[in-house]
Each structure stands twice: as C-alpha cells, then as structure tokens.
Amino acid sequence: MTRPARLLFLLVPLVLGLVFLYLPGRAQQAPAGRFAFSDTTLLRDTLGLKFDRLFPLADSLSLTPDTLRALSIRYRFTLARLVHLADSLGMPVDSVGETMRRESFNPLAKSARTRNSFEYRSSYDVQQQTSDWSNTSSFNRDIGSIYLTNATTIAMHRYYAGGRTSLQQSRSSDTKAGWTFSPNMSAGGSATLTRYDALDPLSVNNEVETKNDFGLAMNSRQRPNKSINSEANLLAGLLDLTNSTIVKRGFSGNFNGRMRYHPGGWLTNDASVQVDGNLARSRLPARIQQLSTNDVNSNVHGTLGVLPNGPANLNVNYGLRNSRVETLSDTGSVQQVRTNNNSVNSALRLHQGTERSIIFTHRLGNTRQATATAINNQSTRDDNGIAINGRYGWQDWTLESNFGRARATSKYPRRSASGGYGERQDLRSIDATLSWSMSRRMVAKLSGNAGLTKLRYFIIGTYLAPPVPRDQYTQLYLVEWRFTQSDRINTTLRMDVGRTLFINIPEKSTSANTENRSYHAEWDWSDRLLPGLTATQRNQLTADYTYYTFLPVNNDRLALDYNTSTTLNAVITPRLSFDMTHSVRFQPSGNYAPLDAPLDDGLVYFKRADENRQASLTATLTYRPSQLLSLTVNPSYLASDRRSTSGGQVVPQRSSRTLRFSGGAFLNFPVGAWGQLSGQINRQFNADRTTNFTAGVPRLTPASETDYWSGHLEFSWQPTH
C-alpha cells in the first residue's frame, strides 16, 4: 500500500530553504592552513562544549582529532582543561579522565572535613528491536577521617525477535568504608557484589552468574623526598562465584602500586605494578567434589625518560604481563591457561626546534600462550623491529620520511596430533613526503611509499599442511595541490597511483598470483556563494586493474568507479540551517576477451560484464530555538540499479528504490538546580522496493516499510555542597 502523503515531508526542507535563502545569515568560514573546519554546532548547543583549535591541538599531541573530541565529550572537559590537567598531572591526555574518576574514590585524596557528594545518571536508548537502560550512581560521605563510598551500576538490554523478548541484566555495587589515619594512610573494608542474567524464553541454557567479593583494604602514600612519590594499595578478602560452569569459593587478594621518580629535569621514571590472584575451592555445578584452583595475574609497566626537555632525549616503555588461570574441565580435572606478554619499546629523539628532528625506535616483544583445554591454540611469538622517522624543514619546504623493518617468528607446535608449523615474517617499508608552500595560498605535496612483506614457514614435527610461502609488495605515489584563494574559495587536486603484487612462491600455487594496479584522481572544491550559502563538491575517478600473472589474459579484470557528490549548506539564520547533498555513482566492470569472429584480430579488449548505478538525495533541516532544544528533519532518497551482460546485450538485473525519513529533537534541559536531561528522540520511517529481472523480465517484490521511534535519553543528578 503506497502512502503518497508521506512524500510531502521531502518538500518541507526545500520550501523553507527557498523562503529563507536570502534572509540575513552567515556561512561557516573556510579552513585556514592545513587544518580542517572543526566547529560542531549541534554538540556546542546541546552539551555546552566547544572544540576551538581541535586540529592543531590533536596534531601537537599526536592524537587523532576524533579521539581528542571524543575524550572531551565523554568527560565533559573543554579542550583547554584537558590539556591543562594532562600537563599538571604529567600524563597523556587520554589518561586524565580515568585518573580523575579514580581519585574521586581514593580516600587519601579527600580532605579532613565533612563532605557529601552524590551523582545519579540514567540513560535509555531505544531502537526498532532493541532497548538499553542503564543506571549509575556514586555516593561519597566524609565525616572527618571517616569515609563511605558507593558506586552502583544497573544495566538492562532487551532484544525482540521471533515474537519473543530476550533480556540481559547486569548489576554491580562497590561499597567501601574506612578510616583515614593520616594524609598518607587509610584502612577499611569493601564489598563488591555483581549479578548477571541472560534470559531467553525459548532457550534451556540461560546464564545466571553471582559474584561476591568481601575484603579489607589499605591505602598508603609515600613521599620520602622531592624526587620520589609512590602509592601502594592492598585488598584481601573472600571470593564467592557461582555460574553455569563453575562454583568457586575461597580467598582473593589484589596489590597495586605506582611510583614516580623525577630527580631533576634529566630523568623521569613512572612505573606501576599490579598483582592479583585467589586461592579457592572449585567444583562443577552438577558435582559435589571440590578441587583446589589458584589464579595469579601480574602486570608491570612503566616509562623511563632521559633528558625529556633536551635536544636529545630517550624514552623507554616497558611492560611485563603474566597470567595463570586454572579452570575445571567437563571431566572435573584442573586445567591451566597461561599467557605471557612482554615488550620493550625505546625511542631516541634528536631535534632542533619543531621542524627538524629524527627519531630512532626499537621494539622487542614476546608472547606465549598455552591452553590446556585446547592444545591446538598454543602459540609463541617473538617480535623485533626498528624504525627511523625524520622531519626536515627549510624555508617553504618540508621533508618527512620513515623507514621501518619488523621481523616476527611465530610457532604453532600443536596444530594437529602430528605437530604444527612456524611462521617467519619480515616486513620492510619506506615512505617520504615532500611539501612545498608555494605561496600563502598554494601548497603542493608529493608522497611515495613502498613495502615488502615476506612470509616463510617451517614444519614442527611431521605436520603436512603448512600455509603457502608468499610475498606481498605494495607501492603508492601521490601528488596533491591545494589552493586557498580566500576564506570563500578553496580547491584541492590529488592523484595517486598504486601497485600491489601477491606472489605465491611454490609453482603449484602460482595460479593465484596477481598484480593489482590502481589509479585514483580527485577534485574537491568549496565556495561560499552567498553570505548564507556554501557549496562543496567532491569528484572522484578510480580504475582498478587486476592481472593474473600465470593465467590466460581473458581472466584479467578492470573495475571503474565514477563518483561525484555536491553539498549545499545554508545558514539561513543563526538558529536555522539547511544542508542538501546529491550524489551520483557509476561503477562498470568486466574482463578482457578477444573480439567475436570474424573481427578477431588476436588481441583482447575490455568487455563490460556488469555495471552499478546509484543516485541519492539527502537533506537536513536543523532549527535551534535555544540552547536547550534542537529540532532536526532528515529525508533521503536512494536509487540503485544493477545491469549485466547477457548475449552481448546489457540487460537490467536488479533495481531498488529506498525512501528514508527521520525527524527528532536533541535535548539539553536543566532539571531543577542539580539535574540535567540530555539526549535525542527520533522518528524513523523507511520504505523500499526491489525489482529483480530474469532475462530482462521484471519480477516485482512486495514493498517493505518500517516505522518506529528511536532515541537516547540521559538523566544526571549531582547535588553540590
């Protein structure tokens, strides 16, 4: 049944866009330099966050922009506050949030005065067939030297399919209480309760798990002199675990500590250690016999720096991790799972300013894994790699180059009863980029890289089916030119040529050897046509050639891809904006074959075998009446057609049409003096129909429609005192 009235929703953003097109407004400013535009109006208005200088900050911190932006959103810290805290705490930016959260529950970080804090957060997310509801709360109560903390989390996930609803629930509560003897010492007790249920109405293997941890805790800090400060924490108590595979009861313990050694400005050493384990009696749920099972895990990692602020500095990261877990098999015997993972990474950096530097890095690592329950998964791996990275800037020229070689030896000794095999991997890579600032408005870039990966195998025991020895070679050349005439107009041209070789060494496997050559050209431009209207277009052309080295030439294949996308962005008023994107894509492909007789001249020509055509139109209308509310309407239409060659003629094979419409609201409401409600509510409508063709004759399929609500709401309550 068709619903023509719903198509009228597509006219709403178009009419409003035409009505308000010439009203006063402003467009987003074009990017300056090599950093893209990073303003995010929706998040700024709904969360109160700004991302000024996102790309320069991410570049200086060696982070991707989306990672830095996600950290700011997750912890609700501005970029300036994140960087300031990382600098004052002497840690990476991505560790600030977790450190601040951990310190909020550290009794030694609390002041000796009466303090109350309570935070509650509830989040509800609903989709067409799933819903998630999570509730978290944290409570801190300090009365002088006595403290009480609690963190509780309840999460429920529902999934509807096949006429039934499945439910997964997880609950956890962590309570700590104690006495702070001094600013550097505290003791108390803790109780951690965890529950998990997975319930399916038609399943006989529903999962129910109960875990209780009760223990005594001690926290201490040491600062023997100005150069050393450390922290040590000990937790020991009782463990009670029951689930469908094991019942375990016994004693558990955890020790963790951190030390920071900074004797002046020439040496830094930050190290942390954690050891946890348990001594328990375990049994299978259906048995009475109990056996001793012991688990031990240790983890040591740290960073050593020499002359961190000097023109030549050394940085060494090290990590040692060992794990031994004992489980019960189906027969009731004790089986062990052992894992060792050790690594040392060192970097020597020589630099003169920010534009001239060279970095030598070296990595050593080994991994061991042994599983008694699945001996064919036993493995070892040894890594040894070096890399040299350099950057040199002179006037308007900048050269960056990297060279690396990594070797690894892996062994799988028990792939079968007769033995296994080992793998030797040797990876070599080199790349270079030359940038030239031709003027204040023009930048040219030339890049190239090449890499060779060699894989060789040896037999352990009498294993009969090792993988095929092979090589893989890749190379890529890229030319890019960017021109920024003003804050209104900018354009970029780029072209790259790539080549990849897949080479199997044994003669009997060479039929799969291939050579892939790819050619890619792209032209992007952006123009602010009017004070309130900006146009952006991207045009792409790609050709991928695949050659089979030892097969007849008519197996070779060519795939072409033509793609163009145009976007109009209209900032009609400071509160009303409209975006519309139109995309067209054409993808023909086929093999090489000789001409049909009598035109056969002994040569092969490209013969189109199939083609895909896609076109889409998407619009987004956003209205922000205030910082508390943002309304969005998003209609889209997609047309897709596939054709194939039959009897020398191109005939239709499949045709589909899809209409999508969504509209909703983004919320950020204060609730009283201490509450906050944020999130989004959307209405989703999808309608599509696919027509398949047999010998050119259409076979209609029923149209499908979905119409449902989706959204995500989060409520937080945090009284301040």
Side-chain angles (χ1 to χ4, degrees):
M1 177 180 179
T2 60
R3 301 181 182 180
R6 292 187 174 178
L7 298 178
L8 296 177
F9 285 114
L10 289 172
L11 300 178
V12 174
L14 296 177
V15 172
L16 291 176
L18 293 175
V19 171
F20 294 103
L21 181 60
Y22 293 101
L23 293 181
R26 60 181 180 83
Q28 296 175 339
Q29 299 298 314
R34 63 190 180 97
F35 301 115
F37 184 76
S38 62
D39 185 79
T40 49
T41 306
L42 184 60
L43 286 172
R44 182 188 64 216
D45 290 345
T46 57
L47 297 181
L49 294 175
K50 295 183 179 180
F51 303 98
D52 300 333
R53 303 188 70 251
L54 171 65
F55 284 81
L57 280 175
D59 184 69
S60 63
L61 296 171
S62 299
L63 291 174
T64 58
D66 57 340
T67 299
L68 185 58
R69 179 171 170 267
L71 291 171
S72 176
I73 296 172
R74 180 178 181 183
Y75 299 111
R76 303 292 176 90
F77 289 158
T78 63
L79 297 181
R81 181 168 175 78
L82 268 177
V83 175
H84 175 74
L85 288 173
D87 183 64
S88 62
L89 295 174
M91 63 178 58
V93 174
D94 54 2
S95 301
V96 171
E98 290 301 323
T99 300
M100 297 295 288
R101 284 189 176 183
R102 185 181 68 242
E103 287 299 306
S104 66
F105 293 97
N106 188 348
L108 298 180
K110 305 178 186 299
S111 59
R113 62 182 177 86
T114 301
R115 184 180 64 173
N116 297 326
S117 67
F118 173 76
E119 180 179 357
Y120 171 74
R121 190 178 299 274
S122 180
S123 175
Y124 185 72
D125 185 274
V126 58
Q127 299 296 328
Q128 184 178 7
Q129 294 179 317
T130 63
S131 66
D132 293 275
W133 186 18
S134 64
N135 296 269
T136 61
S137 68
S138 61
F139 169 76
N140 288 270
R141 172 67 171 170
D142 300 334
I143 305 177
S145 59
I146 300 176
Y147 65 88
L148 173 65
T149 66
N150 175 268
T152 301
T153 300
I154 301 174
M156 289 181 287
H157 172 76
R158 284 183 172 87
Y159 179 79
Y160 180 81
R164 66 181 188 271
T165 301
S166 301
L167 175 63
Q168 294 181 0
Q169 301 181 77
S170 61
R171 291 93 67 200
S172 66
S173 176
D174 187 3
T175 304
K176 296 180 181 178
W179 181 24
T180 303
F181 301 104
S182 68
N184 296 321
M185 178 70 71
S186 70
S190 68
T192 302
L193 311 178
T194 305
R195 304 291 186 269
Y196 174 78
D197 302 307
L199 306 176
D200 188 337
L202 299 183
S203 175
V204 296
N205 296 320
N206 291 326
E207 180 71 22
V208 178
E209 180 176 286
T210 302
K211 184 178 181 181
N212 302 319
D213 281 313
F214 302 96
L216 299 176
M218 294 191 64
N219 307 92
S220 64
R221 286 179 173 176
Q222 301 80 32
R223 191 176 180 87
N225 53 55
K226 295 182 179 180
S227 302
I228 301 177
N229 60 79
S230 61
E231 177 182 328
N233 307 300
L234 177 63
L235 175 65
L238 302 176
L239 169 67
D240 182 1
L241 172 63
T242 302
N243 57 34
S244 60
T245 60
I246 194 172
V247 177
K248 178 184 289 189
R249 294 183 176 89
F251 298 95
S252 64
N254 176 282
F255 171 80
N256 63 82
R258 285 173 287 274
M259 185 190 71
R260 192 176 189 186
Y261 178 53
H262 287 221
W266 66 276
L267 180 67
T268 64
N269 185 21
D270 295 277
S272 64
V273 58
Q274 178 172 334
V275 179
D276 59 77
N278 59 72
L279 302 174
R281 301 284 293 178
S282 304
R283 65 176 177 85
L284 297 176
R287 299 196 177 192
I288 302 177
Q289 181 186 10
Q290 293 185 345
L291 300 175
S292 296
T293 57
N294 305 322
D295 302 333
V296 179
N297 298 285
S298 62
N299 187 9
V300 179
H301 60 89
T303 301
L304 175 67
V306 180
L307 299 176
N309 299 319
N313 54 73
L314 175 66
N315 193 65
V316 180
N317 295 314
Y318 53 89
L320 306 172
R321 185 173 183 178
N322 299 303
S323 171
R324 187 196 70 194
V325 179
E326 294 185 342
T327 61
L328 298 181
S329 66
D330 295 336
T331 60
S333 61
V334 178
Q335 296 180 334
Q336 291 186 357
V337 178
R338 291 178 176 266
T339 303
N340 300 328
N341 193 343
N342 308 316
S343 64
V344 178
N345 301 318
S346 59
L348 175 62
R349 182 172 184 261
L350 311 175
H351 66 95
Q352 182 181 10
T354 59
E355 293 298 322
R356 300 178 182 181
S357 64
I358 185 170
I359 303 175
F360 302 89
T361 60
H362 185 211
R363 182 182 188 278
L364 290 173
N366 66 78
T367 302
R368 302 288 185 271
Q369 180 174 347
T371 305
T373 56
I375 60 175
N376 58 335
N377 288 334
Q378 296 182 8
S379 63
T380 63
R381 179 183 173 94
D382 296 308
D383 294 281
N384 187 357
I386 61 170
I388 303 175
N389 308 312
R391 177 184 176 90
Y392 186 83
W394 179 73
Q395 294 184 355
D396 298 327
W397 297 80
T398 301
L399 175 64
E400 297 179 80
S401 182
N402 306 285
F403 169 78
R405 184 177 184 183
R407 291 178 291 181
T409 301
S410 302
K411 297 180 180 180
Y412 310 93
R414 302 295 298 273
R415 285 302 187 188
S416 69
S418 60
Y421 66 91
E423 177 188 80
R424 294 190 179 96
Q425 184 183 67
D426 191 350
L427 171 61
R428 308 176 190 185
S429 63
I430 186 172
D431 65 80
T433 300
L434 179 64
S435 301
W436 177 27
S437 298
M438 306 170 64
S439 67
R440 186 175 60 88
R441 299 179 177 179
M442 287 189 293
V443 176
K445 182 184 295 185
L446 176 63
S447 302
N449 65 68
L452 175 63
T453 301
K454 300 173 61 177
L455 296 172
R456 298 295 184 267
Y457 299 90
F458 56 91
I459 296 175
I460 301 175
T462 58
Y463 191 68
L464 301 178
V468 176
R470 59 193 186 276
D471 293 344
Q472 180 177 341
Y473 171 77
T474 60
Q475 67 181 34
L476 178 70
Y477 304 102
L478 170 67
V479 178
E480 181 178 343
W481 176 79
R482 183 170 62 252
F483 174 70
T484 304
Q485 180 180 358
S486 63
D487 60 353
R488 293 181 56 252
I489 302 175
N490 64 85
T491 184
T492 301
L493 293 172
R494 64 174 62 88
M495 179 177 179
D496 59 78
V497 179
R499 183 183 180 214
T500 303
L501 297 174
F502 296 92
I503 304 172
N504 291 327
I505 305 302
E507 181 179 358
K508 62 181 180 180
S509 303
T510 56
S511 60
N513 290 3
T514 60
E515 177 183 357
N516 296 330
R517 296 187 180 184
S518 63
Y519 303 86
H520 178 80
E522 185 174 323
W523 174 38
D524 302 339
W525 61 266
S526 178
D527 186 2
R528 195 174 75 235
L529 304 174
L530 297 171
L533 181 64
T534 301
T536 304
Q537 188 177 80
R538 168 168 291 185
N539 304 277
Q540 296 176 312
L541 171 62
T542 303
D544 291 320
Y545 295 84
T546 302
Y547 302 97
Y548 290 87
T549 310
F550 296 102
L551 291 179
V553 69
N554 56 1
N555 289 281
D556 297 342
R557 186 171 179 82
L558 168 63
L560 301 173
D561 189 348
Y562 308 91
N563 186 18
T564 181
S565 177
T566 305
T567 300
L568 294 177
N569 168 250
V571 181
I572 302 168
T573 70
R575 300 185 183 276
L576 181 63
S577 63
F578 171 67
D579 297 333
M580 183 172 63
T581 301
H582 178 254
S583 300
V584 177
R585 193 167 195 173
F586 177 49
Q587 297 173 295
S589 61
N591 295 82
Y592 288 88
L595 297 175
D596 296 332
L599 301 178
D600 188 2
D601 56 2
L603 301 177
V604 293
Y605 298 86
F606 172 68
K607 188 174 183 180
R608 185 175 54 182
D610 53 64
E611 64 181 34
N612 293 317
R613 295 178 182 267
Q614 292 182 352
S616 65
L617 179 64
T618 303
T620 302
L621 179 67
T622 303
Y623 177 60
R624 291 171 290 275
S626 69
Q627 293 185 355
L628 308 178
L629 179 66
S630 177
L631 305 175
T632 300
V633 178
N634 181 217
S636 65
Y637 180 76
L638 173 65
S640 177
D641 295 285
R642 180 177 176 84
R643 296 171 177 263
S644 60
T645 303
S646 178
Q649 300 293 327
V650 177
V651 296
Q653 183 180 3
R654 185 177 63 253
S655 177
S656 63
R657 301 293 184 267
T658 302
L659 173 66
R660 297 188 179 95
F661 176 83
S662 65
F666 293 82
L667 314 173
N668 187 31
F669 284 95
V671 181
W674 300 327
Q676 192 77 18
L677 176 65
S678 60
Q680 61 182 16
I681 303 175
N682 292 312
R683 180 71 177 269
Q684 304 281 344
F685 170 75
N686 299 327
D688 58 62
R689 166 169 282 179
T690 300
T691 302
N692 296 314
F693 295 83
T694 302
V697 179
R699 292 185 294 108
L700 295 177
T701 58
S704 65
E705 292 185 2
T706 59
D707 192 356
Y708 61 95
W709 286 92
S710 66
H712 175 83
L713 290 177
E714 183 174 304
F715 174 74
S716 62
W717 183 268
Q718 187 175 8
T720 57
H721 295 278

